[in-house]
Amino acid sequence: MKYIEFKNNLESGNDFPIYLFEGEDAFFRERGLSLIKNKYVLESEFDYAELENTCSANDLVATLNGYPLLSKKKVTLIKEFYPKADFIKGEFSKYLSNPSDLNVLVILNEKTSETLKKFPNVAVVECGKQDVNLIVKYIKAQCKASGVEIDAECASLIADYCLLDMTRVDSEVKKLISYATNIGVIDIATVNELVAKESEYKIYELTNFIGAKKFTKAIMVINELISKGETAHGIISYVYTYFRRLLHVSISNMDETEIAKSFKVKDYAIKKMKEQAKMFSKRSLKKTVDLLTEIDYKVKSGQADVDEKMWLVVFRIMTDK
């Protein structure tokens, strides 16, 4: 189920004995655990337990069969738990099929566990990067609760700068709210000044400037990346990967969802790439990828100076007609 479905179900009393939160966004995994603890646990010292993912099946089952002392239910947490088939045998298999209604087992995994998903009593909650619209709603709600105004454009920009990573979004929004408490509003200028942009977003931004032939701004982005520790070789690699994807997006007959799956990114990222790809002709993208392939090989084989080639590739892309 989607995270919002889990939240709504929990609030309405439609809960499960076992929750498997899986996905790359740690914010939603940890937030899911907090919601469950807040609903059921009155005293963590007695009714909340954290087990190592190396625990034995017997120890796990013994913990899950315990009784809550001061709370509605006892909550047990395991992180990065990927049991093999031989682990899920005997008593643990019986528990998964008939879990205690006085306990909640919470599993927080970054990756998927097909073994656990086979059991109907395990509620799987998707914690991948969320849709930009959901993140915008979250940002606006947080600002409103703090008495600070923000419009959808600013909230969307924050989501972009943070690459839809909710852990970063939450941190940046708290920083912005603290800054804007006396002002009462967060505008685009404030977002640009205070929100740190991830390297991937910087490459997206750099590509935009290259496509628009905004030479000065492209140089500023490169200098900022270098000042923050990015190497010339790293920048070439980022640009190489990015332009290969732009070319693929430009010539592909697949829809956004199919391309997103092949690249293992969100549909939103492909939508942005399609917008960027329109800034270049297919011929220009092919020439750029061929150039980057050649430069990448020469740099890796020690045949070329990496700093010189980094600037060369930017100039060549920008001046290509």
Side-chain angles (χ1 to χ4, degrees), residues 230-238 296 299-300 306-307 310:
E230 189 60 70
T231 64
H233 194 185
I235 293 171
I236 290 175
S237 296
Y238 277 131
D296 184 66
V299 167
K300 287 180 177 177
V306 63
D307 293 296
M310 179 195 69

Side-chain angles (χ1 to χ4, degrees), residues 6 9 40 44 68 74 92-93 105 117 126-127 133 138 146 158 182 191 198 202 235 240 247 263 265 269 313:
F6 150 73
N9 285 339
Y40 296 118
S44 293
K74 182 177 179 181
F92 188 47
S93 178
L105 172 60
K117 286 182 176 181
E126 298 173 15
C127 296
N133 294 323
Y138 172 83
S146 300
I158 295 168
N182 296 327
V191 172
E198 293 278 10
K202 281 294 185 183
I235 293 171
Y240 182 25
L247 177 61
F263 287 163
V265 299
V313 74

Side-chain angles (χ1 to χ4, degrees), residues 97-114:
S97 300
N98 185 30
S100 166
D101 58 2
L102 295 176
N103 285 266
V104 179
L105 172 60
V106 179
I107 302 166
L108 305 186
N109 284 354
E110 183 177 357
K111 301 175 182 177
T112 190
S113 173
E114 297 299 332

Side-chain angles (χ1 to χ4, degrees), residues 3-4 28 130-139 166:
Y3 182 84
I4 191 66
F28 287 104
Q130 301 298 305
D131 180 83
V132 65
N133 294 323
L134 177 64
I135 296 178
V136 167
K137 288 180 181 178
Y138 172 83
I139 294 171
M166 274 300 299

Side-chain angles (χ1 to χ4, degrees), residues 43 55 69 81 85 90 193 321:
E43 180 52 67
C55 68
L69 296 178
F81 182 53
E193 180 182 357
K321 303 298 182 182

Side-chain angles (χ1 to χ4, degrees), residues 140-149 173-174 177-178 180-181 184:
K140 294 182 73 174
Q142 292 296 106
C143 290
K144 184 178 180 180
S146 300
V148 174
E149 294 182 17
V173 168
K174 287 176 181 176
I177 289 173
S178 176
T181 299

